[in-house]
Amino acid sequence: MLQLNLADTTHQEKASPITGKPKARTCKAKLGQFMTPATVARFMASLFPPSPLHTCRLLDAGAGMGALSCAFLHRWVTGGFGFAAVEATACEVDDHLRDHLARRLARYSRVTSRIIPGDYIHLATAHGLRNQGYTHVILNPPYKKISSQSAHRLALRRVGIETVNLYSAFVALAVAEAAPGGQIVAIIPRSFCNGPYYRPFRDFILARAAIRQMHLFASRNKPFKGDQVLQETIIIRLERGGQQGPVTVSSSTDDSFADFVTHDHPFERIVFPHTPEQLIHVPTTPEKTTIERLGAVGDSLADLGIRVSTGPVVDFRLKARLRPMPEAGAVPLIYPSHLRMTGTVWPIAGLKKPNAIMHNAETGRWLYPNGFYCAVRRFSSKEEKRRVVASVIDPAAFGHHSVLGFENHINLFHQNKHGLSEALAHGLALFLNTTAVDEQFRRFNGHTQVNATDLRLMQYPSRKALAQLGTWAMGQGTLTQDQMDAKLEALDQ
């Protein structure tokens, strides 16, 4: 029996939530195909638990050149499973990759293999969702957005799956096709853990499967050297129809797994009870976070009478009304580049973005009264130390102007589209800039975008406590990170 050297099986592998650019990159990008490191394939195969089954029925949907199937089969032929037989089904839409896939699977003479050509979404939805009896599923699905009226979206909708990306569609279909007790291991972007767009997908998965294990890579780029990484990836193991219990969460810096650590967590730390959004948190240590420990942090924004909204000015839609610098009839337009942790800098000469927007009947409905606000950038750079960065909007920075424009890449805390008190704005900014908030936020947000929905779902100190924080901050001048963190810790004292 030939034992495949897995170091050679992923030379041009596909379907990762990263944006690698190998040869034939145009075709790969069109199909959402990207490379899978061999070390990751072996690790994914190792996550399947021992099984008493006589026959394993394996599915690899979007199999590419077969790296994941081969990693699984390699474990079997070297004694890692006790199956007497394996029936492997691989689906692949790419004709060229299917040739390689067939040759590699043929090396396993003891395996009954079947390669199905075609689009997995259309294949799986053609006759409605059915239990296909798969006992094991291993996936590295394509990563590509699905437009709302595409053939894929309509096919999924017909079988009760509402989702916005190929990767989540593949996982949902695989769960539906797995036999009761079937084990599904997939490497996917972490974006499904939060946000309203993936809520139906989370509902679908959590209603049909138990989360058994999640593995998180601490670095976005090191596991996938040479590729442009859009967001954090996670490896997840699900059990079809399983009764939910504790979840094993493991982590490593990269795909060498040299610093691999693992902890078990009660499910209540993964998906908080009584939260309809069903955000999926990924704690990497058994210790409670500062936010979890602080009794003084427990109010929602609704409790505080505060709202958070995405900046309403979409610049390309109002392009004719934008101005590079202030002029008669124009008012300040605030972009993320105007924001600093210490406040707002406006205008900025030579800025690539406009500094102002004309105030007229067309633009007036998008503008806010000048006042104190707390603003958070919607996007951070890939490896930036902080995910949540808050700034105070101080009306004094804008002189005589009575209204302000906030561009769409800013999240704005306000009171019914009006400003906050000065102390409250400073208190919110201090709280959001603490290490504790950043760490808590990263538990359910694995990409560089900070959505207003995410901020809306967080818990905050009381309005009184925030005002006290703000009053203190206003008397300190420039604050260090240690000072902000210590002040938050002192709230319970």
Side-chain angles (χ1 to χ4, degrees):
M1 174 66 195
L2 177 63
Q3 295 182 1
L4 202 60
N5 178 0
L6 290 180
D8 297 330
T9 65
T10 58
H11 181 58
Q12 294 184 34
E13 192 49 64
K14 58 164 276 186
S16 178
I18 54 177
T19 58
K21 302 295 184 183
K23 190 176 180 180
R25 66 182 66 186
T26 302
C27 177
K28 285 181 174 289
K30 182 178 180 181
L31 296 174
Q33 299 175 337
F34 303 104
M35 301 177 74
T36 306
T39 48
V40 172
R42 288 195 294 267
F43 177 74
M44 290 174 64
S46 76
L47 295 183
F48 290 95
S51 171
L53 291 171
H54 178 274
T55 301
C56 162
R57 300 195 66 224
L58 174 68
L59 170 67
D60 184 353
M65 293 169 65
L68 294 180
S69 293
C70 290
F72 185 95
L73 297 174
H74 182 78
R75 180 181 168 190
W76 175 54
V77 300
T78 55
F81 293 113
F83 314 128
V86 173
E87 299 173 2
T89 298
C91 298
E92 177 51 51
V93 69
D94 190 315
D95 294 341
H96 175 70
L97 294 181
R98 278 201 306 273
D99 292 338
H100 295 278
L101 175 63
R103 286 196 293 271
R104 284 177 170 166
L105 291 181
R107 299 174 182 179
Y108 292 89
S109 57
R110 293 167 51 198
V111 176
T112 302
S113 61
R114 177 178 60 148
I115 297 176
I116 302 177
D119 184 305
Y120 176 61
I121 291 177
H122 292 309
L123 291 168
T125 59
H127 304 290
L129 292 186
R130 295 180 180 181
N131 169 7
Q132 299 291 346
Y134 295 117
T135 62
H136 296 75
V137 179
I138 192 164
L139 291 174
N140 192 350
Y143 174 68
K144 187 178 181 183
K145 290 182 180 179
I146 305 174
S147 62
S148 59
Q149 295 303 316
S150 67
H152 281 147
R153 192 71 168 269
L154 297 177
L156 291 164
R157 196 169 287 153
R158 282 195 296 269
V159 296
I161 296 174
E162 192 65 50
T163 193
V164 296
N165 203 295
L166 291 179
Y167 84 79
S168 47
F170 270 56
V171 174
L173 291 170
V175 167
E177 291 196 319
Q183 302 291 320
I184 301 99
V185 174
I187 180 169
I188 53 179
R190 202 177 147 194
S191 54
F192 78 96
C193 291
N194 72 309
Y197 294 124
Y198 287 100
R199 161 112 185 253
F201 171 69
R202 293 194 297 271
D203 291 344
F204 185 95
I205 294 300
L206 293 173
R208 292 165 176 78
I211 300 175
R212 295 300 186 214
Q213 184 167 350
M214 295 186 288
H215 181 84
L216 181 66
F217 294 104
S219 170
R220 286 191 182 92
N221 55 8
K222 289 182 181 178
F224 307 102
K225 302 172 183 69
D227 294 311
Q228 291 180 321
V229 180
L230 290 175
Q231 55 183 277
E232 293 175 9
T233 54
I234 194 168
I235 297 172
I236 190 167
R237 177 167 71 88
L238 304 169
E239 182 179 325
R240 177 69 164 99
Q243 183 174 355
Q244 187 62 65
V247 178
T248 299
V249 177
S250 56
S251 63
S252 63
T253 298
D254 54 34
D255 64 324
S256 72
F257 302 98
D259 56 352
F260 179 87
V261 293
T262 182
H263 300 284
D264 288 341
H265 300 271
F267 186 65
E268 292 73 21
R269 291 196 80 201
I270 306 299
V271 178
F272 293 170
H274 314 302
T275 55
E277 296 81 9
Q278 300 209 84
L279 303 186
I280 296 176
H281 299 73
V282 190
T284 53
T285 66
E287 293 79 20
K288 287 186 175 181
T289 65
T290 300
I291 298 297
E292 289 175 307
R293 288 189 287 104
L294 284 175
V297 178
D299 283 12
S300 67
L301 285 181
D303 295 330
L304 301 176
I306 297 173
R307 297 166 62 184
V308 60
S309 306
T310 303
V313 176
V314 181
D315 56 8
F316 69 86
R317 293 177 182 167
L318 296 168
K319 192 172 182 180
R321 303 293 178 256
L322 306 182
R323 298 294 183 268
M325 289 296 285
E327 62 179 63
V331 298
L333 177 57
I334 304 168
Y335 280 82
S337 48
H338 292 111
L339 303 179
R340 306 288 186 273
M341 195 174 287
T342 54
T344 311
V345 178
W346 182 91
I348 300 176
L351 188 69
K352 292 182 179 179
K353 299 291 186 180
N355 280 283
I357 182 171
M358 297 304 294
H359 184 194
N360 53 37
E362 179 187 4
T363 63
R365 59 178 174 156
W366 308 121
L367 306 179
Y368 280 67
N370 194 1
F372 286 98
Y373 298 90
C374 177
V376 173
R377 291 183 300 170
R378 283 184 58 203
F379 295 90
S380 58
S381 61
K382 292 177 184 175
E383 293 300 331
E384 194 164 7
K385 290 183 179 180
R386 295 194 57 82
R387 189 72 51 81
V388 180
V389 181
S391 305
V392 173
I393 304 296
D394 187 335
F398 309 104
H400 66 279
H401 293 289
S402 61
V403 292
L404 306 174
F406 293 97
E407 194 268 337
N408 192 244
H409 290 83
I410 289 174
N411 294 307
L412 193 69
F413 289 84
H414 58 92
Q415 286 187 164
N416 197 25
K417 296 189 176 180
H418 287 75
L420 309 169
S421 70
E422 183 176 5
L424 195 55
H426 280 275
L428 265 174
L430 186 153
F431 172 70
L432 291 167
N433 284 326
T434 60
T435 302
V437 166
D438 205 62
E439 289 176 349
Q440 185 78 0
F441 191 83
R442 288 172 184 268
R443 287 194 170 199
F444 65 85
N445 182 296
H447 48 83
T448 57
Q449 185 166 347
V450 178
N451 295 308
T453 301
D454 300 330
L455 297 170
R456 199 173 295 124
L457 294 173
M458 289 172 50
Q459 292 188 316
Y460 296 80
S462 69
R463 192 179 179 98
K464 179 180 178 181
L466 285 171
Q468 290 173 345
L469 287 176
T471 300
W472 176 82
M474 290 158 56
Q476 302 302 308
T478 302
L479 292 170
T480 67
Q481 190 67 58
D482 287 343
Q483 286 175 313
M484 290 188 289
D485 293 345
K487 191 62 179 178
L488 179 62
E489 290 268 11
L491 275 182
D492 274 350
Q493 299 175 7

